[in-house]
Amino acid sequence: MYKFLFAMLIFCGNVAHATSLDNAIQQLSQEIPGTIVTPTTTEELQSLFKDATLTSVPRIFVDRLPDDFAENGSHELYAKVITALILRSNEQILREKMLLGALKRKFEKNEDWSEQESAFFNSLVEKYDAIAVKTKATQLEQLSLKIDEITPGLALAQSVYTTDWGKRNMQSPYAQKGWLDDKNYTETTYNSLIKATESYVEEMNSEPSYWPWREYRRRAAHRRATENLPYLLAGKLMSYQLEDPDYTRSLQQIITDNPFIIKKLFHATFSDEKGESK
């Protein structure tokens, strides 16, 4: 696991000293280590991921696919690109999750939060849409449900459904929607694959209509879910594309047709976490 997370565990375990937790909160603003790239050709992109496998990807984050990817790209290369981006967002989520756990432990012990801790908590409440929940205890419970990792295999299947393995619609690679007014919405577009992924992960963890999906994710985690988790989670996303009643079945078909999503991506991590070279 990334060294920052180990350091944060030490901070969060020592909640008796407010300054330690405050320091960990300040470190949230640090960039996730890695290199952001915008390759101009698929050949260049392939060279960047030449040492990558489907279980071990480098900290290389592609902000935009090259123009010739639709013609020259491969399923495996696209999977590596998306997996690296999801792992990047998950790393940030783990930072927030550990800090939230530390705040929750202090709350349960009736220990006061520092000004910075309170500000951080309030920012999570707003970011993950726990504002409607009335008490701090219930807000903590809601945030504990919402702030969690996104399974790379599920994210890939959703992106494949939308983009046909990076061949089209890359301005909205996860088919997210944004409201135009109280009754109408449209597809949200992005000029950055990194920003699109960050927004997708935040939406999955905050959108009220995805509550059943998040509850299933939590139960699966408690049961030590198997590699089949992406397939099972896909079946709980009925509300993601309401206009397409076959959406969940389509995701599950993508996963079934591409066994590496279960057999490989379930175990995916950054190559430097395995002691391998970048």
Side-chain angles (χ1 to χ4, degrees), residues 63 85 88 176 190-200:
D63 202 38
L85 292 174
R88 177 181 182 272
Q176 295 150 266
Y190 303 86
N191 58 12
S192 163
L193 188 51
I194 292 174
K195 294 299 182 185
T197 303
E198 290 174 342
S199 178
Y200 155 76

Side-chain angles (χ1 to χ4, degrees), residues 145-146 150 158 174-177 199-217 236-242 247:
L145 173 66
K146 289 186 170 188
I150 304 298
Q158 290 185 265
Y174 306 96
Q176 295 150 266
K177 302 294 191 296
S199 178
Y200 155 76
V201 169
E202 183 175 332
E203 180 180 303
M204 293 292 284
N205 281 335
S206 61
E207 174 62 36
S209 62
Y210 304 156
W211 175 84
W213 176 85
R214 289 189 291 267
E215 181 60 38
Y216 185 86
R217 176 180 61 177
K236 304 298 179 181
L237 276 176
M238 286 77 72
S239 60
Y240 194 89
Q241 292 283 351
L242 292 174
Y247 180 69

Side-chain angles (χ1 to χ4, degrees), residues 101-137:
L103 291 179
K104 189 175 182 180
R105 288 190 292 274
K106 289 188 70 173
F107 177 79
E108 291 169 347
K109 294 178 180 178
N110 293 316
E111 297 178 1
D112 292 334
W113 291 347
S114 70
E115 184 176 338
Q116 187 167 6
E117 290 166 0
S118 295
F120 170 68
F121 174 75
N122 290 334
S123 72
L124 292 181
V125 167
E126 182 174 359
K127 179 178 179 180
Y128 292 104
D129 195 22
I131 297 174
V133 185
K134 299 300 182 184
T135 69
K136 187 174 290 186

